């Protein structure tokens, strides 16, 4: 519970102090990734800073140590099951009808025990993920495997679904096992922070595996997809011919796919909408009604667009924000998503986000509050927090103990000067 001083914080790249026992608990695996990334740059990060960060991590009892691979892999597996099983359900049904694809779809699953049986055995015999997608049968051609390297062996098309803070560990485990002519698509709704700014998941995957990577994101609540309720999604793929292939793998009468060339735009929308959903959940927790919630959604949507433009300029197409990955996903996540639900409970109970994940979601990790921390790191280091008051306020409520009602502080912002290129005020 010691307060980290400003001087110590600057040494670790943090401009403000934070409470070791309270705030670092939010980061868990992210803090380990931070240490790993910092250790790779000894010319930039002093050795004493690395030692101090490691000491902080070790001091927090509920954060696994950097070498606790079993805990780390279990956290990853719990996080991906719902969306991974839903995607496998769609792809398994589609490839059975596509002559150019092998019938078998392998899905990487952490081999945990459920009701005295191995989850992998249950999936492969009962064809149901009874823990994370109960009540929805998987196609018989979907085969669960405990090893990610085995899952990608001989695969020409790889679907990546994992919480973004764990992506590098997964990629390292399959590096060298992927076919040189393989293609990948990321369903990850997250972004990564480095000393040089933000990096998208497709960039990280491409950098590690040296294969082309597309992205998929949309107004896609997994349980509703599993129930085959009509919805749309967006695939971002720079290669038109490959986009057709990806669409054939995902498109169904109830899951309609639209393809665009704006890969990075699809990713940014998918990541940043979770931050807006956290803000919407705060409003619900305070019981402030639909007018207030609509205002937060509108401001959040515009801050999403502004941040995307600031980072990438004209590379992101404005039309992408009108796709399912943009406006539609913001709406559905702010009204029906788990990030909204968690933020509402955060206000009502006062419990920290990781505890709520355990209590409400069986330990599944959500991206909203984690992405809020990463976004703040970027805008704070860039000196532009004044131009993102909503994102800044959401961060302060999640990580600095600010009252939920401070979400309205400084929201009178003029977005009229924002264009397809970086705003003049930025």
């Amino acid at each position: 519970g010691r307060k980290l001083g400003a001087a110590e914080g600057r040494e670790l790249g943090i401009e403000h102090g934070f409470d070791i026992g309270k705030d670092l608990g939010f980061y868990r695996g992210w803090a380990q990734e931070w240490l790993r990334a910092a250790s790779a740059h000894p010319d930039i990060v002093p050795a004493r800073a690395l030692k101090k960060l490691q000491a902080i991590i070790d001091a927090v009892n509920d954060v696994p140590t950097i070498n606790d691979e079993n805990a780390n892999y279990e956290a990853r597996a719990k996080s991906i099951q719902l969306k991974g099983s839903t995607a496998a359900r769609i792809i398994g049904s589609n490839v059975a009808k596509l002559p150019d694809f092998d019938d078998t779809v392998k899905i990487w699953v952490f081999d945990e025990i459920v009701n005295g049986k191995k989850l992998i055995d249950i999936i492969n015999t009962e064809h149901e993920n009874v823990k994370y997608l109960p009540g929805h049968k998987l196609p018989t051609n979907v085969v669960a495997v405990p090893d990610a390297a085995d899952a990608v062996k001989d695969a020409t098309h790889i679907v990546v679904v994992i919480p973004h803070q764990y992506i590098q560990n997964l990629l390292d485990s399959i590096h060298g096992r992927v076919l040189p002519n393989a293609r990948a698509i990321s369903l990850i709704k997250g972004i990564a922070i480095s000393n040089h700014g933000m990096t998208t998941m497709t960039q990280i995957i491409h950098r590690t595996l040296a294969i082309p990577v597309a992205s998929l994101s949309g107004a896609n609540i997994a349980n509703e997809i599993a129930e085959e309720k009509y919805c749309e999604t967006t695939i971002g793929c720079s290669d038109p011919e490959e986009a057709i292939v990806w669409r054939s793998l995902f498109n169904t009468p109830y899951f309609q796919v639209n393809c665009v060339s704006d890969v990075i735009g699809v990713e940014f929308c998918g990541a940043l909408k979770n931050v807006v959903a956290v803000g919407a959940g705060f409003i619900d927790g305070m019981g402030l009604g639909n007018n207030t919630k609509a205002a937060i959604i509108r401001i959040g949507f515009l801050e999403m667009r502004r941040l995307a433009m600031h980072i990438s300029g004209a590379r992101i197409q404005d039309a992408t924000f009108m796709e399912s990955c943009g406006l539609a996903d913001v709406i559905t996540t702010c009204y029906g998503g788990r990030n909204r639900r968690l933020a509402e409970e955060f206000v009502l109970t006062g419990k920290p986000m990781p505890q709520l994940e355990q209590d409400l979601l069986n330990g599944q990790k959500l991206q909203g509050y984690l992405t809020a921390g990463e976004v703040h790191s970027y805008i704070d280091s860039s000196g532009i927090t004044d131009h993102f008051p909503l994102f800044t306020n959401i961060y302060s409520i999640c990580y600095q103990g600010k009252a939920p009602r401070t979400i309205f502080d400084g929201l009178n912002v003029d977005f009229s000067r924002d264009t397809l290129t970086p705003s003049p005020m930025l």
Side-chain angles (χ1 to χ4, degrees):
R2 181 172 68 86
K3 199 77 172 179
L4 188 68
E8 294 173 296
R10 281 192 295 272
E11 189 175 63
L12 295 174
I14 310 167
E15 289 302 320
H16 54 81
F18 66 92
D19 184 273
I20 292 172
K22 179 181 178 183
D23 295 330
L24 190 59
F26 283 119
Y27 285 84
R28 293 196 176 189
W30 180 88
Q32 299 176 8
E33 291 295 315
W34 184 15
L35 180 61
R36 183 195 60 77
S39 300
H41 299 282
D43 55 325
I44 300 175
V45 183
R48 62 183 182 279
L50 296 177
K51 291 180 179 179
K52 192 165 295 183
L53 180 56
Q54 182 64 67
I56 292 170
I57 293 173
D58 292 341
V60 182
N61 292 332
D62 63 344
V63 178
T65 65
I66 199 78
N67 294 317
D68 193 353
E69 286 300 312
N70 289 331
N72 217 4
Y73 268 88
E74 183 172 5
R76 285 201 290 273
K78 288 181 178 179
S79 304
I80 68 169
Q81 292 302 323
L82 185 63
K83 199 175 284 186
S85 294
T86 305
R89 192 169 183 265
I90 292 174
I91 296 171
S93 296
N94 282 346
V95 297
K97 308 168 189 174
L98 297 172
D100 293 335
F101 281 90
D102 189 275
D103 287 344
T104 301
V105 176
K106 292 182 179 180
I107 178 174
W108 171 51
V109 175
F110 181 79
D111 199 8
E112 57 185 304
I113 302 299
V114 179
N115 298 326
K117 299 180 181 179
K118 291 184 176 181
L119 181 58
I120 287 179
D121 291 341
I122 296 174
I123 292 174
N124 290 337
T125 57
E126 300 179 20
H127 308 294
E128 181 180 346
N129 190 332
V130 295
K131 185 169 184 180
Y132 299 107
L133 196 63
H136 301 286
K137 291 294 183 179
L138 298 172
T140 57
N141 60 336
V142 173
V143 178
V145 297
D147 183 7
D150 183 28
V152 302
K153 182 181 179 182
D154 298 328
T156 57
H157 289 74
I158 300 169
V159 180
V160 185
V161 193
I162 192 170
H164 74 279
Q165 64 269 32
Y166 303 123
I167 181 64
Q168 193 61 57
N169 283 343
L170 170 64
L171 295 176
D172 290 343
S173 73
I174 63 175
H175 179 69
R177 308 293 185 90
V178 176
L179 292 176
N181 65 331
R183 303 288 187 270
I185 190 167
S186 170
L187 276 62
I188 305 170
K189 295 188 176 183
I191 46 182
I193 297 293
S194 71
N195 293 333
H196 306 290
M198 286 187 179
T199 306
T200 67
M201 295 299 106
T202 58
Q203 290 170 333
I204 292 174
I205 297 169
H206 174 71
R207 181 185 65 204
T208 306
L209 303 182
I211 60 175
V213 189
S215 61
L216 182 150
S217 185
N220 306 145
I221 295 176
N223 281 332
E224 294 184 14
I225 299 172
E227 293 167 2
E228 300 188 3
K229 296 178 179 178
Y230 182 88
C231 66
E232 299 176 310
T233 198
T234 310
I235 286 179
C237 184
S238 58
D239 183 339
E241 293 185 2
E242 195 60 39
I244 294 173
V245 177
W246 284 121
R247 186 179 187 277
S248 70
L249 288 172
F250 284 96
N251 192 69
T252 74
Y254 63 88
F255 191 67
Q256 292 289 291
V257 177
N258 186 42
C259 297
V260 300
S261 60
D262 185 10
V263 179
I264 190 173
V266 171
E267 287 188 276
F268 268 100
C269 288
L272 297 180
K273 60 93 182 182
N274 285 323
V275 182
V276 184
V278 172
F282 291 160
I283 300 304
D284 289 341
M286 291 184 284
L288 296 180
N290 290 325
N291 290 346
T292 307
K293 189 171 181 177
I296 292 299
I297 292 172
R298 187 193 76 88
I299 295 170
F301 182 73
L302 291 173
E303 288 197 11
M304 283 173 52
R305 184 173 176 267
R306 172 176 281 188
L307 182 59
M309 291 186 298
H310 180 267
I311 293 172
S312 68
R315 285 190 299 158
I316 290 183
Q317 302 165 18
D318 206 38
T320 303
F321 288 89
M322 295 297 110
E323 293 287 340
S324 179
C325 64
L327 180 60
D329 200 7
V330 172
I331 293 171
T332 194
T333 307
C334 288
Y335 279 91
R338 295 176 298 159
N339 285 283
R340 184 218 61 81
R341 178 189 175 200
L342 207 72
E344 179 181 22
E345 291 297 320
F346 177 85
V347 174
L348 294 175
T349 66
K351 295 180 180 179
M353 295 288 191
Q355 183 178 344
L356 289 171
E357 287 174 327
Q358 188 62 46
D359 293 347
L360 302 177
L361 304 173
N362 201 23
Q364 291 181 349
K365 305 296 291 183
L366 294 186
Q367 302 304 301
Y369 73 95
L370 294 172
T371 302
E374 295 182 333
V375 166
H376 183 267
S377 295
Y378 177 81
I379 62 177
D380 186 48
S381 63
S382 300
I384 54 174
T385 54
D386 289 346
H387 301 299
F388 298 91
L390 179 60
F391 285 173
T392 300
N393 293 344
I394 290 171
Y395 168 81
S396 297
I397 295 167
C398 287
Y399 292 101
Q400 296 180 321
K402 295 289 184 68
R405 281 192 173 271
T406 61
I407 194 173
F408 305 112
D409 292 353
L411 293 189
N412 186 21
V413 177
D414 180 14
F415 292 94
S416 63
R417 297 173 65 188
D418 289 1
T419 62
L420 285 176
T421 55
S423 169
M425 69 178 67
L426 301 181

